[in-house]
Amino acid sequence: MLCNTGSSLVHTALTGDWLGVYFAPLSKSLLLLPTVLTVLLTVLLPQYQDLFIYNLQAVRQGKQFWRLVSGRLICLDLKDTFCSSLLIYNFRIFERRFGSHKFASFLFGAWILSAFVDLLLIEALRFMFELKVDVLPAGLLGPVFALFVPFYSSIPRVQVTQLLGHISITNKSLTYIVGAQLLTSSAYMWVVACSGLIAGMLYYSNKLAVQKFIRVPGWAARCGSVLLEPVFSDSEPTAEAPLGMGATLDIQRQQRMDMLDQQLLLSQLEHLRRNAQQQQAQTGLLNWNRFFPTLRHRGQNRHHEGPQPQQPPYMHPPDNTAVAEEQVARLMEMGFSRMDAQEALRASNNDINIATNFLLQH
């Protein structure tokens, strides 16, 4: 698509989208190891499944506190394993954005907090509704549901298409659908989901300063890096890798929007600057140049044949629309400049979804 910047664009798209777990060794390990252990327990070693059942009755009455660990590590249902793996794959963006250490600290904190919330919810159900719940779904499900908290809060919603003219399909719809499928996979999965969401809100908001006390120590992060990176790190992708292999166009589009890679955006912006005259020549469409003149005209040095009359500099019409600094900061985190973010928000009346959609496409 791009001319001189095509090689860097293809390289970025490959590393960021098509080979999705590159630069995310922890996410890759969470995709592979639990899946392998689930297959071993369900197919080859079913006699050991009892050790990994999340039995709260055994915890309360039999004092088997070790089940709070073993029962919350490995899924005993292949459907739960498949759905949780898809969600971890979609949430890998947080490991790339914040680093493996902070990502591991969030998972560990949510895992610890969700265990206490599980016990509190079970006791509340028994006391208020006389509902006795002895066994909950096993696996690393609490941290997976907890990741929906930063996903909802920090990932902007960008409309992709519409169904029947009323139902909006966004870049986040597929993730929510998979989460709903996991939520309905068993009778008491909603208890695990509620405890995971509560744990995620507590850790993400850091209202009780839990991030200071519940986190992965630095020495453990270094040891994990030494152990995981040689095993789960890939060689850097090359431009010869096939594009879009094993994914539909909708999944590819979602991955591109989720990554918001700065190099890709800058390359697209440079391409649009080169083709500014063609964009301005189009008629019958909304003239975005009225609202975003600097996105198209800033820094252009065109050479024309023959003398051209000197045009007066373009003057912006006065615009006193207030721009929310929080939304400007969110757009700047995606790689856009402050000036472009402010102009996009002013033109869209502070609608961050419309502003993000335009900046991504232009």
Side-chain angles (χ1 to χ4, degrees):
M1 175 182 176
L2 302 182
C3 302
N4 296 331
T5 59
S7 59
S8 61
L9 173 60
V10 171
H11 174 78
T12 303
L14 286 172
T15 57
D17 297 327
W18 315 122
L19 300 182
V21 291
Y22 186 68
F23 285 140
L26 181 58
S27 299
K28 187 173 183 180
S29 64
L30 292 176
L31 282 173
L32 297 180
L33 291 180
T35 303
V36 171
L37 293 175
T38 300
V39 172
L40 287 176
L41 287 175
T42 55
V43 178
L44 301 178
L45 302 171
Q47 64 272 20
Y48 295 103
Q49 287 189 12
D50 183 67
L51 298 175
F52 298 92
I53 295 177
Y54 191 17
N55 193 331
L56 294 178
Q57 183 180 10
V59 174
R60 292 193 306 266
Q61 299 178 1
K63 308 301 180 182
Q64 299 179 9
F65 298 106
W66 52 269
R67 288 189 180 272
L68 292 174
V69 178
S70 64
R72 304 175 64 248
L73 288 178
I74 303 173
C75 291
L76 300 180
D77 192 318
L78 291 177
K79 299 190 299 296
D80 294 348
T81 303
F82 178 74
C83 291
S84 60
S85 298
L86 283 179
L87 291 174
I88 290 174
Y89 179 80
N90 281 277
F91 293 145
R92 75 203 182 279
I93 183 175
F94 296 115
E95 183 176 5
R96 289 171 171 168
R97 180 179 294 183
F98 303 118
S100 298
H101 188 189
K102 290 185 178 180
F103 184 66
S105 296
F106 180 88
L107 293 178
F108 178 70
W111 188 73
I112 295 294
L113 293 174
S114 60
F116 291 101
V117 179
D118 282 342
L119 297 175
L120 292 176
L121 287 178
I122 295 303
E123 293 299 325
L125 291 174
R126 186 175 61 174
F127 177 77
M128 298 175 61
F129 305 102
E130 296 183 357
L131 179 60
K132 187 177 181 181
V133 180
D134 294 331
V135 179
L136 289 177
L140 199 69
L141 300 174
V144 171
F145 282 108
L147 285 169
F148 275 100
V149 175
F151 181 74
Y152 175 81
S153 302
S154 62
I155 302 299
R157 182 176 60 89
V158 180
Q159 180 174 321
V160 178
T161 185
Q162 281 190 341
L163 295 179
L164 304 178
H166 301 285
I167 304 175
S168 297
I169 303 299
T170 69
N171 59 317
K172 304 168 71 172
S173 298
L174 178 62
T175 303
Y176 289 131
I177 291 173
V178 177
Q181 175 64 35
L182 180 61
L183 179 63
T184 58
S185 62
S186 62
Y188 294 110
M189 183 65 76
W190 64 271
V191 177
V192 178
C194 289
S195 64
L197 292 174
I198 294 173
M201 287 187 288
L202 288 174
Y203 198 88
Y204 186 72
S205 62
N206 198 27
K207 295 295 184 181
L208 304 177
V210 292
Q211 295 182 11
K212 181 179 180 181
F213 304 102
I214 307 176
R215 61 179 181 177
V216 176
W219 62 267
R222 290 189 292 270
C223 292
S225 177
V226 172
L227 294 175
L228 293 179
E229 287 188 358
V231 179
F232 295 107
S233 62
D234 297 323
S235 59
E236 186 173 356
T238 60
E240 287 76 13
L243 295 180
M245 182 174 59
T248 64
L249 293 178
D250 290 338
I251 295 177
Q252 296 171 16
R253 188 183 298 112
Q254 179 199 8
Q255 293 172 354
R256 287 196 295 270
M257 291 181 179
D258 286 343
M259 280 303 299
L260 299 175
D261 188 277
Q262 184 177 6
Q263 183 180 359
L264 174 61
L265 296 174
L266 292 177
S267 300
Q268 290 176 335
L269 195 58
E270 181 66 24
H271 177 67
L272 287 171
R273 289 196 183 102
R274 293 199 189 101
N275 295 277
Q277 291 180 343
Q278 297 179 3
Q279 296 287 340
Q280 294 173 0
Q282 293 180 354
T283 58
L285 300 176
L286 181 63
N287 187 11
W288 286 96
N289 295 330
R290 291 178 52 205
F291 305 103
F292 300 93
T294 57
L295 294 179
R296 306 285 177 87
H297 298 281
R298 194 182 303 125
Q300 294 185 7
N301 294 319
R302 294 186 178 87
H303 300 281
H304 302 277
E305 296 180 0
Q308 296 290 338
Q310 185 176 3
Q311 298 293 334
Y314 181 85
M315 301 297 293
H316 286 280
D319 192 348
N320 297 324
T321 304
V323 177
E325 287 298 326
E326 180 182 356
Q327 295 180 351
V328 174
R330 289 177 64 181
L331 291 175
M332 291 177 64
E333 289 179 358
M334 302 176 198
F336 303 111
S337 67
R338 182 178 181 84
M339 185 178 299
D340 294 345
Q342 290 176 337
E343 292 175 354
L345 289 171
R346 288 195 186 98
S348 61
N349 196 20
N350 280 324
D351 191 322
I352 192 171
N353 297 323
I354 297 177
T356 305
N357 194 19
F358 173 76
L359 291 173
L360 283 173
Q361 296 177 0
H362 294 77

